[in-house]
Structure formats: C-alpha cells, structure tokens
Amino acid sequence: MNKYYLNYLDELESEAIYILREVWAQFDNPVILFSGGKDSILVTHLAKKAFYPSKIPFALMHVDTGHNFPETIAFRDDLVEKLGVKLIVGSVQDAIDQGRVAEERGKNATRNALQITTLLDAVEENKIDCAIGGGRRDEEKARAKERFFSHRDDFGQWDPKNQRPELWNLLNGKHFEGEHFRAFPISNWTEMDVWNYIKRENISIPSLYLAHEREVVFRSNSWIPFSGHLRLEEEEKVEKKKIRFRTLGDITITGGIESEADTLEKIVKEVSAMRKTERGDRSDDKRSETAMEDRKKQGYF
C-alpha cells in the first residue's frame, strides 16, 4: 500500500471521528446500529478511537431477525463483552408473536422488511434520538442520497427530497420531540477503503468474510447458505462450495461468492478486481429497482 493511500485512509478516519464526536455533542441518547457486519464493526472501532482512553459512550443496538448467521451472533456477544458496552436487542420474532408484523410466505420469503417495525419500536422504547449506521454511498443508489445527519420524522420515515444542507462541515441535529436522526460517519468510504483500513488496523471480523467450505443452494444467481430457515424447491440441491460473503444480513437472503480469498490480503486483491456491487448478491435488493429506497422511506437502516 503506498504512502498516499495511507494518508487518504487517515483523512477518512479523521472525518468519521469528527462525525462521531458531533453525534455525541448534539444528541442525548445515541446508539450504534450493530449488525455484526464489517461496516458496523468498523464504525464501532472508529468510536473506540474517537473517545479513547474512555469507553465508547454509545450502546450497541442490534435488530435480531431470528434468522442470523450463528457466527454473527457469537461475534457480537464477544465484542460487547470485550468493549464493556450496553447491548440493546430488538427482536423481530417478538414482533411477529405480538402480531405487530406478519411473517412472509413463499420461496423468497425474508424477514428483512420486518426489521423496520422492530427498529422503530426499539428507537421509541429506548428514547433514542440518533442511530449511527454503517451505510456507505457506494453500496446502493438509495444510500448515495443520504447525508451524514439524516433526519427521520415522528413516524420514523425518511424523505430523500427534504434533507438539510451540510456546508463547511456544519451538521444540524436539531429535531422536535418524537423525531430522530440516523448518522452515517463512513458515508465517503468505499468497500475497498473499508478492507484496506481493516487490514491496516488489524480489526477482527467474522469468519464469514473469509473463504471457507459451506453447504449452499444456487438461487437468484447467488449461493445462498443452506439452513433450517431455507425451503428448497424440487429442482434445487444442496452443494458444498468454497465461498465467502461480501455483506452479511439475514441468512435466507445473503448470497455468497465462490472465492479463494481466505486472508485479508487476498480479500483486498479480490475486491480491487470486482465489477459487481457487494449488495448484488442480496436477494432482498433484487425485488425491484427501488427496493432499498422504498424500505428506507419507511424507516429501514
């Protein structure tokens, strides 16, 4: 890695730390939205740096679909214990049991959209006024419309056409009671930046990101992990493939790619040659051209 790129990573780090400190200065009860994926892990690492030597002042909040990778939950619990921070868990299964949301049916059923109600319930119940996310502008076109401070109305909804200007690094977090914000400190990072920074900082990540042998099913042009939550069609068969995941989500919708990248160095090299976005293997984003934006308008991450 050349000297210029190291300086560039330092600039991205400095910007993210500035935003995290602004969140702490402007809001009363902010949390980090923690999925166990590389971006939320990165945000948590940056928060650790931003407030060192003090403990991270934010709780971590995880919206548990009940269809998570077991490796993700184990990583989450281990990290929370190491950091000594509070963990808030919102359960989609509880929302289903209470009749707040209805379980989807069919071959491509997912609990992804059901997270919206659970997230907004957790925000209201815990009186959260800012939820810090790991969204990046290069992930998906709807993500590119976000600002660093993204306003949500008292219904938790997002209006992409009515966002506040952010000039000269001035961030406006003023809001009425019942409203809240989402903050995105790594908006200007790319997938390549994230991996180079993880490699530089030697940040621990779930083993799912490294190539490993796993039972999978080929569906929607992706290798979907075989699990007890997946209903097989007659023509589908379970195969063993050496794969890794570029993004982590609900185990029923997260597609892996065939890969030999089992080290951070190999991942960086592989990502540098990629021509497909990392969310290109998420079946929930393939439902329509505006799938992500439609969910975000309702209160999604």
Side-chain angles (χ1 to χ4, degrees):
M1 191 183 301
N2 62 42
K3 184 178 179 181
Y4 171 78
Y5 204 82
L6 282 174
N7 290 337
Y8 179 57
L9 288 178
D10 289 337
E11 289 181 14
L12 288 173
E13 177 191 76
S14 178
E15 178 184 63
I17 286 175
Y18 166 75
I19 292 164
L20 286 164
R21 289 173 176 168
E22 278 293 300
V23 169
W24 183 241
Q26 294 195 38
F27 297 97
D28 295 323
N29 189 28
V31 297
I32 294 175
L33 291 174
F34 190 84
S35 67
K38 66 183 184 307
D39 297 324
S40 61
I41 292 169
L42 172 61
V43 169
T44 304
H45 177 83
L46 290 165
K48 184 179 176 181
K49 274 198 162 187
F51 299 98
Y52 182 84
S54 297
K55 190 168 65 174
I56 294 176
F58 312 118
L60 301 188
M61 187 166 82
H62 180 219
V63 177
D64 183 359
T65 66
H67 289 174
N68 297 286
F69 287 92
E71 297 95 328
T72 303
I73 299 300
F75 185 92
R76 178 201 72 184
D77 293 343
D78 184 58
L79 183 63
V80 167
E81 184 178 352
K82 286 179 179 177
L83 295 175
V85 297
K86 180 182 178 183
L87 175 65
I88 300 169
V89 178
S91 172
V92 171
Q93 185 62 56
D94 285 351
I96 293 172
D97 294 343
Q98 294 164 10
R100 297 275 293 144
V101 293
E103 182 91 72
E104 287 188 7
R105 304 294 178 189
K107 173 183 175 181
N108 295 313
T110 171
R111 291 186 170 185
N112 200 35
L114 307 189
Q115 296 178 81
I116 298 171
T117 298
T118 303
L119 171 60
L120 295 179
D121 284 349
V123 166
E124 183 177 0
E125 180 182 343
N126 293 279
K127 294 181 169 48
I128 293 162
D129 53 2
C130 183
I132 307 163
R136 305 189 328 270
R137 288 173 180 154
D138 73 320
E139 278 184 277
E140 203 274 344
K141 55 191 177 184
R143 298 280 202 210
K145 297 179 181 181
E146 291 279 17
R147 303 287 171 88
F148 287 121
F149 276 18
S150 182
H151 177 261
R152 297 298 194 271
D153 65 19
D154 53 353
F155 293 103
Q157 296 176 326
W158 173 63
D159 182 358
K161 296 180 180 179
N162 185 26
Q163 297 195 75
R164 299 173 182 182
E166 294 179 343
L167 307 174
W168 306 290
N169 288 331
L170 297 177
L171 305 174
N172 182 0
K174 292 182 179 180
H175 58 284
F176 294 107
E177 185 175 354
E179 300 176 342
H180 72 280
F181 273 77
R182 308 286 169 83
F184 299 101
I186 61 170
S187 283
N188 286 331
W189 297 55
T190 65
E191 183 186 13
M192 190 68 177
D193 297 329
V194 169
W195 283 118
N196 273 316
Y197 188 80
I198 287 173
K199 178 174 175 289
R200 188 184 86 169
E201 300 284 304
N202 195 28
I203 301 171
S204 295
I205 55 171
S207 59
L208 296 162
Y209 283 113
L210 304 173
H212 59 288
E213 193 172 79
R214 194 180 192 103
E215 289 188 331
V216 289
V217 176
F218 194 70
R219 178 182 291 182
S220 300
N221 293 317
S222 298
W223 290 109
I224 304 297
F226 178 66
S227 70
H229 305 298
L230 196 67
R231 192 181 75 181
L232 294 180
E233 298 293 301
E234 286 186 11
E235 71 279 6
E236 294 178 329
K237 62 178 181 178
V238 178
E239 303 180 54
K240 277 195 173 182
K241 293 285 183 180
K242 191 172 184 181
I243 64 166
R244 76 173 191 88
F245 299 93
R246 293 175 69 190
T247 178
L248 300 183
D250 194 324
I251 196 171
T252 62
I253 57 167
T254 303
I257 59 171
E258 292 189 73
S259 173
E260 294 294 327
D262 54 5
T263 66
L264 288 176
E265 290 78 9
K266 290 179 181 178
I267 288 177
V268 168
K269 185 176 180 180
E270 183 179 81
V271 170
S272 68
M274 288 287 185
R275 293 295 178 266
K276 185 178 181 181
T277 65
E278 64 191 282
R279 292 190 67 96
D281 290 301
R282 291 280 291 267
S283 61
D284 53 325
D285 289 346
K286 298 178 182 180
R287 293 189 170 193
S288 74
E289 285 291 321
T290 60
M292 170 67 84
E293 184 161 333
D294 292 342
R295 293 198 305 273
K296 284 178 68 63
K297 286 179 179 178
Q298 297 171 46
Y300 188 72
F301 311 125

